[in-house]
Amino acid sequence: MESGKLAPPTLHVNTTRQRALSQADTISSSTSNPFLTPVSPSTVSPSNASTVIEDPQASLRPDPGAEADFEVADNPFAFSPGQLNKLLNPKSLAAFQALGGLQGIALGLQSDIHTGLSVDEASAPRRVTFDEAVSGHSSPSKESTSSQTDEKPFQDRIRVFGRNALPPKKATPIWWLIWNAYNDKVLIVLTVAAVISLALGLYETLGADHPPGSPTPVDWVEGLAICVAIIIVVVVTALNDWQKEQAFVKLNTKKEEREIKVLRSGKAVLVSVYDVLAGDVLFLEPGDVIPVDGVFIDGHNVKCDESSATGESDAIRKTPGATVMNLLEAGHSTKGLDPFVISGAKVLEGVGTFMATSVGVHSSFGKIMMSVRTELEATPLQLKLGRLAMAIAKIGSTAAIILFFVLLFRFLGGLPGDNRTPTEKGSAFLDILIVAVTIIVVAVPEGLPLAVTLALAFATTRMLKENNLVRVLRACETMGNATAICSDKTGTLTTNKMTVVTGKFGSTSFAQYDKDSTSGQTISSWASKVTPSTKELIIQSVTVNSTAFEGEEEGNPVFVGSKTETALLQFAKDHLGLVSLSETRENELVVHMMPFDSGKKCMAAVIKLKTGEYRLLVKGASEILLGFCSANADLETLQAEPMSEARRKELRSTIDEYAKKSLRTIGLVYQDYAQWPPAHAELGDGGSVEMDSLLRGLIFFGVVGIQDPVRAGVPTAVRKAQGAGVTVRMVTGDNMETARAIATECGIYTEGGVVMEGPEFRRLSEADRDAVIPRLQVLARSSPEDKKILVLRLKALGEIVAVTGDGTNDAPALKAANIGFSMGIAGTEVAKEASAIILMDDNFSSIITALMWGRAVNDAVQKFLQFQITVNITAVLLAFITAVYDDEMKPVLKAVQLLWVNLIMDTFAALALATDPPTEQILDRPPQGKNKSLITTTMWKQITGQNIYKLAAIFTLYFAGGRILNYDLSDPDKKLELDTVIFNSFVWMQIFNIFNNRRLDNKLNVLEGVHRNPYFIVIVALIIGLQIMIVFVGGRAFQIKPGGIDGTQWAISIIIGFVCIPWAIAIRYFPDPWFAAIMRVVGKPVLVAYTACGKGWSSFMGLFRRKKDEGSDVEAGNTPPIVVVDNDAGTVEKERH
């Protein structure tokens, strides 16, 4: 058949294979999950792969909708990605057999199970048809004839099977982001106000008659200004969302990058996970998260946890592909036969190799990852602000409606004696309407959405520079309120770079430094006295009995593997004469390998000695191996001596001493046998020796202490977190002594704290857990389930919990936490997907950075809120009272002046206050808690105090300014001068009040850290510059004195504005409890008024919309009031309905 065509239904397989298939059980899938392995009721077994056997003709047919994966133009390989994908959709032995088994797959992919892909491959080496691959014979006449010199490595293979990378998430179009940003209730209210204002302004300018020589009205500027505000908010929001999406696309590459050990041209090399290709031979080692789908080639006792991909909780033992094919052809039962290696699974035990068959979007894990891509939701802060904005809009709208009717009744009442023309009367009525609309515009806090958008955008951008990649936006603000951190130990609190620093062999011991060694020997001086035979035994123990290998990092030779094994190899290389790891292994005759057993905490290897004897080498957890030993070896002669009880106690004491110094203790034991397997050994199913039967009567050789030092800065970071009211707990799988030692060094474990082991914690009742959790500081020997239980109980107790995790098994705890932190370097793909923030440097100190920025986001919004509400209340009250008082029904601040104050000042203030970076002092206070009101008692005190001063100052100028300044207000020019001074004074009060709002507490230094925020300095300078320009050249547009005011008037304006600073100091000295007590009394009529506004607004809006479900927290009249708040100093009752 043609290589690019679909193989079935003209698939030819030999009759032997068909007979084998006909004798096998047929299992049909009944599950909707394509990656879940179906289970036959007759063949259920913990180790049963439960694979599907079906008609070979049907096993490779495309599923509906997947036909494109089966059609590949000019395919030099025997198979298409779709055919190979049928191996695992679900696991199908029929497809495996129809593809020719492991041999056929390797031939079809033009790879080799022993040497892997060739590093020199560019185009496919030859063309192989489906029939040739299945039959096991390829035609030598079909060699590739390509002679291009500019070919890229593996270009045909990548073209046909793809790269091991998911396509970038389709970017949301900018127009859609703009539409989403515009769909905000506040912006829609603003739009209505803008349309009305613009229409009225254009009518005033174009539709009304004007006296000859009078200036053209510019009332349309108001509507235009509101439109500009809406455009700014929408564009900034949309650009922020777009920038965030683009950043995630770029950073996904970095956060998912890791190196995979593959076989190329017969040599083990490390390649990027993105460069793994179909046909590659990959190595399997305990702890690996498998990056691609494939077929198991060979290995020792490989078991995988496939729960993340298939839901099967049991460990699945893998059977070599060639063995499976032989058994199937012999008509063997399919029970327990599983040659399939599935992406996303984790290797629990054993070592081996497998051949990649499906990569990228064709792999099982790739399909799952493509299906779980989700959109980000609005953050709690944004939702809370939305409700607050609507509450303010209700009050402002009510005030505007009342003002409109008051002025309307005055207008109608004066009509009988009004001698103006009808056009002038119509214009006067439109002026009333414009004032009412302006009140609404001023009241609606259009700066709020901009402030929270800017704060989050600024924080996430800066956090990335400080090694925090925020994946879920809500985590940024939630972290600011965190009350508990549950941290891993290895790699987060420590460096994850292990080094042998001490050890005890026979009666001798050594340490890295003299002061740490009881015998006074350094490692070098100890190693110089060790006999060649002893050195040989140590080197055998750490080189042969190891899965680490040699590699390169930045041009330097390094050992690659687990941190423990690389530490032991480095120890042998530095002090015992190890030259080449690969040569040392080749010089030893390895008879049997027993990979790391997580239950026994050890691994073993058997070598044949030159004497003809066999030596069993075991290394692992020293306290466990000591129990398997009945003798100990003399360091010089290696003679075994029976282990006395005193010697056993001495060794146990040494192990405990190392553990107390936070060292990981590794024991080295061995035993020599005359034959292999020894007579007492028990054999497993495959004829291999069971490790359990060998773990007795061994010879204890030595113990070494390996240190994973605490990261620099971690103890300081822990102290900062504790000072910020955040409880730090260590949750680790290490033993209790080591955990306690590290926790003590970090400052986590303190006097009176509790250290507990995971199993013990798990056995506690819920009540006992709740009782011990407040004092629990270290949870040792804990499983992922223990961590999840702890997180859920902390949340149930009202805590906001941050959790760190790096492994696939940490995903449940990361998801359960309020904020999940995964490790950018050591973290698995699953852990990163489950987390909200990725620590790019795996460092605990970066969590404190996230804590500071989280608080900075909340603070920025509160600072702006304090400023915004102060301006809005003052402006609305001034406009309302003066418009009612004035004979011409015009407010003291004209519409355009109010819009300058409201729009430009608020937008600029949002920029200035949302960009304040956090200071160290932000950690000197306890967390606010998730239910705390946005506006605190201290904030209300400042808002109320500033409003009292501002209203008093403006009303004094308005009502008595003429007498105080000796102006003749009957002169229109003098009245215009006074109006200009009032406008200028009002703006300068806002300018100085921006500085006051840089602090939310009662401390006095409002300039603290201002030099660290250039945005603030530039924006304040810009506001001052624009205000000066408006006063001098904006006379006509802003209805102020043309040409500006004189020096005395400038001094009056600036001094009135500056008084806001000392007045704020006086306000801060006023006790919060006193203010709270006053608010309880004064706040009740305000609450009644607010409730009435809310109900009136709901009734009014109900006329224009369909009846909605009752109980909406935004529109319903029984919205909890935002105005009554918590008390920082004590307790202020929250008013509720």
Side-chain angles (χ1 to χ4, degrees):
M1 66 177 279
E2 293 177 25
S3 60
K5 301 291 185 183
L6 183 64
T10 59
L11 172 65
H12 299 289
V13 294
N14 63 50
T15 54
T16 307
R17 285 178 182 158
Q18 287 188 345
R19 280 199 299 273
L21 283 168
S22 67
Q23 295 167 1
D25 299 330
T26 300
I27 301 168
S28 62
S29 174
S30 61
T31 175
S32 60
N33 183 346
F35 312 119
L36 185 62
T37 305
V39 179
S40 168
S42 62
T43 59
V44 172
S45 165
S47 62
N48 185 12
S50 309
T51 45
V52 171
I53 287 292
E54 57 186 327
D55 174 23
Q57 297 287 339
S59 65
L60 296 182
R61 286 200 187 109
D63 296 322
E67 291 85 357
D69 290 342
F70 288 74
E71 295 284 353
V72 180
D74 189 28
N75 187 358
F77 301 97
F79 312 123
S80 65
Q83 290 168 328
L84 292 170
N85 201 40
K86 295 294 284 186
L87 290 168
L88 286 151
N89 193 15
K91 295 177 182 176
S92 171
L93 286 176
F96 177 67
Q97 197 167 3
L99 292 172
L102 177 61
Q103 181 186 354
I105 290 169
L107 188 58
L109 289 172
Q110 302 189 40
S111 183
D112 188 290
I113 61 173
H114 302 295
T115 60
L117 298 178
S118 168
V119 293
D120 300 320
E121 179 184 324
S123 299
R126 58 187 181 279
R127 303 188 73 85
V128 180
T129 66
F130 186 95
D131 294 334
E132 290 169 350
V134 170
S135 65
H137 302 288
S138 64
S139 170
S141 63
K142 295 189 179 180
E143 296 293 324
S144 174
T145 57
S146 175
S147 59
Q148 295 180 23
T149 57
D150 58 346
E151 292 180 333
K152 297 178 181 178
F154 304 108
Q155 62 180 25
D156 275 347
R157 198 172 293 275
I158 292 171
R159 176 179 62 81
V160 174
F161 300 107
R163 287 169 48 81
N164 190 37
L166 301 182
K169 188 176 178 181
K170 188 178 179 182
T172 310
I174 188 72
W175 62 266
W176 185 251
L177 291 173
I178 290 172
W179 175 248
N180 283 343
Y182 179 72
N183 275 321
D184 179 280
K185 289 183 179 178
V186 177
L187 296 181
I188 290 169
V189 171
L190 268 178
T191 305
V192 174
V195 169
I196 295 172
S197 181
L198 195 57
L200 294 176
L202 289 172
Y203 173 78
E204 282 283 310
T205 305
L206 305 174
D209 293 330
H210 307 292
S214 64
T216 306
V218 286
D219 296 336
W220 53 269
V221 170
E222 305 161 21
L224 183 65
I226 307 170
C227 292
V228 171
I230 295 168
I231 291 168
I232 289 173
V233 172
V234 169
V235 170
V236 168
T237 305
L239 286 177
N240 179 48
D241 290 341
W242 182 81
Q243 185 184 24
K244 188 176 67 200
E245 282 198 5
Q246 296 303 307
F248 282 147
V249 167
K250 291 177 185 175
L251 291 162
N252 274 343
T253 307
K254 183 176 179 182
K255 75 184 179 67
E256 292 166 5
E257 175 72 54
R258 57 188 171 115
E259 291 192 316
I260 305 296
K261 185 178 171 185
V262 301
L263 197 65
R264 295 243 172 116
S265 295
K267 293 182 178 179
V269 294
L270 286 174
V271 300
S272 165
V273 68
Y274 301 120
D275 294 332
V276 177
L277 303 170
D280 257 324
V281 174
L282 286 78
F283 290 87
L284 295 170
E285 295 173 7
D288 283 356
V289 177
I290 299 164
V292 294
D293 292 341
V295 176
F296 186 50
I297 297 174
D298 199 6
H300 300 282
N301 192 34
V302 173
K303 292 182 182 177
C304 294
D305 172 14
E306 298 178 353
S307 57
S308 63
T310 67
E312 294 185 23
S313 57
D314 293 315
I316 309 296
R317 185 189 291 270
K318 299 300 169 185
T319 317
T323 304
V324 171
M325 196 65 179
N326 292 335
L327 292 172
L328 288 175
E329 290 180 345
H332 190 276
S333 167
T334 61
K335 182 177 179 180
L337 299 183
D338 188 351
F340 304 110
V341 177
I342 191 166
S343 54
K346 185 174 183 179
V347 182
L348 296 177
E349 297 178 27
V351 291
T353 55
F354 77 100
M355 179 168 288
T357 57
S358 296
V359 300
V361 292
H362 301 297
S363 68
S364 306
F365 187 67
K367 289 176 184 285
I368 295 173
M369 293 292 285
M370 291 296 288
S371 69
V372 298
R373 289 181 166 179
T374 54
E375 299 298 323
L376 298 177
E377 302 172 355
T379 73
L381 185 62
Q382 289 170 324
L383 296 174
K384 206 184 283 186
L385 284 172
R387 290 195 292 271
L388 178 59
M390 286 307 298
I392 296 172
K394 287 178 190 177
I395 296 172
S397 301
T398 306
I401 291 167
I402 293 171
L403 177 63
F404 173 75
F405 281 109
V406 168
L407 298 182
L408 178 64
F409 293 149
R410 277 188 61 189
F411 173 74
L412 294 174
L415 281 179
D418 195 338
N419 297 322
R420 289 177 294 180
T421 64
T423 302
E424 288 173 336
K425 289 176 184 177
S427 178
F429 172 75
L430 287 178
D431 285 341
I432 293 172
L433 196 56
I434 287 173
V435 170
V437 171
T438 304
I439 292 283
I440 295 176
V441 172
V442 170
V444 174
E446 69 277 6
L448 272 184
L450 182 63
V452 68
T453 300
L454 286 170
L456 286 169
F458 186 70
T460 51
T461 305
R462 290 292 294 272
M463 284 172 73
L464 182 59
K465 292 178 182 175
E466 299 185 42
N467 297 311
N468 280 266
L469 168 58
V470 180
R471 296 184 67 253
V472 180
L473 209 54
R474 67 173 57 233
C476 188
E477 65 189 58
T478 308
M479 188 59 202
N481 296 322
T483 57
I485 299 173
C486 297
S487 176
D488 275 352
K489 177 181 73 69
T490 307
T492 309
L493 297 171
T494 60
T495 61
N496 203 18
K497 292 180 181 176
M498 305 296 263
T499 310
V500 175
V501 294
T502 187
K504 188 176 183 70
F505 287 83
S507 58
T508 67
S509 62
F510 60 85
Q512 197 169 26
Y513 309 106
D514 285 329
K515 63 184 178 63
D516 293 330
S517 178
T518 53
S519 64
Q521 287 192 102
T522 62
I523 299 179
S524 300
S525 63
W526 173 85
S528 65
K529 301 171 188 173
V530 175
T531 61
S533 59
T534 303
K535 279 186 180 179
E536 184 184 23
L537 176 54
I538 297 174
I539 289 173
Q540 287 171 346
S541 295
V542 301
T543 56
V544 178
N545 190 17
S546 170
T547 58
F549 61 98
E550 292 168 311
E552 278 195 4
E553 191 174 282
E554 298 177 357
N556 301 315
V558 293
F559 294 113
V560 181
S562 81
K563 303 297 180 184
T564 303
E565 293 192 335
T566 55
L568 290 168
L569 287 168
Q570 197 63 46
F571 166 69
K573 183 178 181 179
D574 292 344
H575 303 289
L576 301 175
L578 173 64
V579 178
S580 168
L581 175 59
S582 55
E583 284 183 18
T584 304
R585 284 176 175 165
E586 286 171 9
N587 292 336
E588 300 290 351
L589 183 57
V590 181
V591 178
H592 193 63
M593 290 286 293
M594 299 173 205
F596 184 77
D597 185 318
S598 55
K600 296 288 183 290
K601 300 285 184 188
C602 64
M603 61 192 298
V606 181
I607 57 174
K608 187 173 183 180
L609 302 176
K610 295 170 185 174
T611 60
E613 290 185 316
Y614 295 87
R615 176 169 287 169
L616 170 68
L617 303 163
V618 187
K619 80 167 189 282
S622 54
E623 68 272 23
I624 293 175
L625 291 188
L626 183 59
F628 300 146
C629 296
S630 59
N632 54 271
D634 179 84
L635 182 66
E636 294 184 3
T637 64
L638 295 185
Q639 291 294 316
E641 303 164 355
M643 186 179 292
S644 64
E645 193 57 35
R647 176 64 175 162
R648 191 179 294 276
K649 282 184 178 178
E650 182 189 347
L651 287 169
R652 194 170 286 124
S653 172
T654 300
I655 292 167
D656 290 343
E657 180 191 341
Y658 289 172
K660 285 175 183 173
K661 293 179 181 177
S662 72
L663 305 182
R664 181 178 296 177
T665 60
I666 301 297
L668 302 176
V669 306
Y670 74 102
Q671 182 60 275
D672 291 339
Y673 299 102
Q675 63 178 36
W676 188 261
H680 66 276
E682 298 173 6
L683 302 182
D685 296 339
S688 60
V689 176
E690 292 287 347
M691 189 193 288
D692 287 5
S693 64
L694 302 173
L695 296 178
R696 57 176 183 266
L698 302 178
I699 302 170
F700 194 89
F701 180 45
V703 57
V704 294
I706 300 177
Q707 187 178 49
D708 182 8
V710 170
R711 281 183 182 271
V714 165
T716 305
V718 170
R719 281 197 302 275
K720 285 181 182 177
Q722 292 166 340
V726 182
T727 305
V728 183
R729 294 177 176 87
M730 179 199 286
V731 184
T732 178
D734 228 327
N735 66 61
M736 191 182 282
E737 291 300 329
T738 303
R740 182 188 279 114
I742 289 283
T744 303
E745 191 175 344
C746 293
I748 293 172
Y749 178 63
T750 56
E751 191 175 344
V754 172
V755 180
M756 187 176 282
E757 289 194 337
E760 184 186 351
F761 178 75
R762 206 180 316 145
R763 286 192 296 269
L764 294 175
S765 67
E766 201 167 278
D768 290 339
R769 277 188 205 142
D770 292 350
V772 80
I773 279 175
R775 293 184 297 117
L776 181 67
Q777 293 176 339
V778 180
L779 194 62
R781 289 287 186 204
S782 62
S783 68
E785 187 61 26
D786 298 328
K787 184 189 282 191
K788 184 181 177 184
I789 290 169
L790 175 60
V791 169
L792 292 175
R793 285 317 304 159
L794 283 167
K795 287 178 71 177
L797 292 170
E799 303 268 4
I800 296 177
V801 190
V803 167
T804 70
D806 56 4
T808 303
N809 51 7
D810 288 322
L814 290 169
K815 274 290 184 189
N818 298 97
I819 316 103
F821 286 89
S822 65
M823 304 297 120
I825 300 169
T828 63
E829 204 59 35
V830 179
K832 289 176 186 175
E833 281 300 320
S835 66
I837 298 176
I838 298 175
L839 299 178
M840 305 303 282
D841 59 352
D842 291 12
N843 195 339
F844 181 84
S845 299
S846 296
I847 299 176
I848 307 305
T849 304
L851 178 66
M852 291 172 65
W853 275 106
R855 291 190 175 188
V857 167
N858 288 302
D859 282 6
V861 174
Q862 286 184 302
K863 288 173 185 176
F864 175 74
L865 205 52
Q866 182 172 291
F867 177 79
Q868 169 100 47
I869 291 175
T870 306
V871 176
N872 285 11
I873 291 176
T874 311
V876 169
L877 286 175
L878 281 175
F880 189 99
I881 293 169
T882 54
V884 172
Y885 174 82
D886 188 65
D887 291 338
E888 297 180 10
M889 294 182 284
K890 291 184 178 179
V892 61
L893 296 174
K894 307 304 183 285
V896 179
Q897 296 172 3
L898 280 174
L899 285 166
W900 157 243
V901 171
N902 181 65
L903 168 66
I904 308 299
M905 298 281 285
D906 288 359
T907 304
F908 281 173
L911 281 164
L913 296 171
T915 51
D916 256 349
T919 62
E920 290 291 332
Q921 285 70 33
I922 208 167
L923 298 174
D924 292 343
R925 64 171 197 246
Q928 288 189 349
K930 56 186 173 185
N931 295 321
K932 189 165 184 178
S933 173
L934 275 173
I935 311 175
T936 65
T937 301
T938 309
M939 290 168 65
W940 269 123
K941 184 179 72 173
Q942 191 66 234
I943 290 167
T944 307
Q946 287 293 339
N947 280 329
I948 289 170
Y949 167 69
K950 288 178 181 178
L951 289 170
I954 298 299
F955 283 146
T956 300
L957 285 173
Y958 181 73
F959 291 110
R963 291 192 297 276
I964 295 171
L965 299 175
N966 209 16
Y967 289 174
D968 179 9
L969 297 184
S970 60
D971 181 355
D973 289 340
K974 285 295 180 183
K975 190 172 187 310
L976 197 58
E977 276 186 37
L978 181 61
D979 287 346
T980 306
V981 171
I982 290 172
F983 167 62
N984 199 28
S985 301
F986 187 75
V987 171
W988 278 97
M989 284 193 281
Q990 314 316 323
I991 291 171
F992 284 107
N993 199 34
I994 291 180
F995 288 92
N996 285 332
N997 287 289
R998 293 190 70 249
R999 288 211 83 102
L1000 294 169
D1001 52 22
N1002 285 320
K1003 294 180 181 176
L1004 303 181
N1005 185 5
V1006 295
L1007 297 177
E1008 183 181 10
V1010 72
H1011 62 283
R1012 296 171 59 235
N1013 187 359
Y1015 297 98
F1016 184 89
I1017 297 168
V1018 169
I1019 288 164
V1020 169
L1022 184 62
I1023 294 173
I1024 292 172
L1026 287 172
Q1027 177 61 19
I1028 292 170
M1029 189 175 71
I1030 285 169
V1031 171
F1032 280 114
V1033 300
R1036 184 178 164 194
F1038 284 82
Q1039 299 174 41
I1040 54 178
K1041 182 185 176 185
I1045 51 179
D1046 60 31
T1048 304
Q1049 292 163 336
W1050 269 107
I1052 291 168
S1053 302
I1054 294 172
I1055 289 170
I1056 289 173
F1058 177 76
V1059 172
C1060 283
I1061 300 285
W1063 180 251
I1065 294 172
I1067 295 169
R1068 286 185 165 95
Y1069 274 117
F1070 191 87
D1072 284 4
W1074 292 12
F1075 177 79
I1078 295 169
M1079 281 296 291
R1080 285 196 196 98
V1081 178
V1082 178
K1084 286 182 180 177
V1086 176
L1087 183 61
V1088 171
Y1090 172 81
T1091 306
C1093 291
K1095 288 182 177 177
W1097 176 266
S1098 298
S1099 302
F1100 177 73
M1101 292 300 291
L1103 299 173
F1104 302 98
R1105 69 171 188 266
R1106 294 179 182 177
K1107 188 175 181 181
K1108 293 185 179 180
D1109 294 335
E1110 294 180 6
S1112 169
D1113 61 349
V1114 174
E1115 298 291 335
N1118 61 348
T1119 308
I1122 310 294
V1123 292
V1124 183
V1125 298
D1126 296 337
N1127 179 14
D1128 296 340
T1131 306
V1132 175
E1133 178 185 357
K1134 277 193 175 182
E1135 302 280 347
R1136 297 189 183 276
H1137 298 297

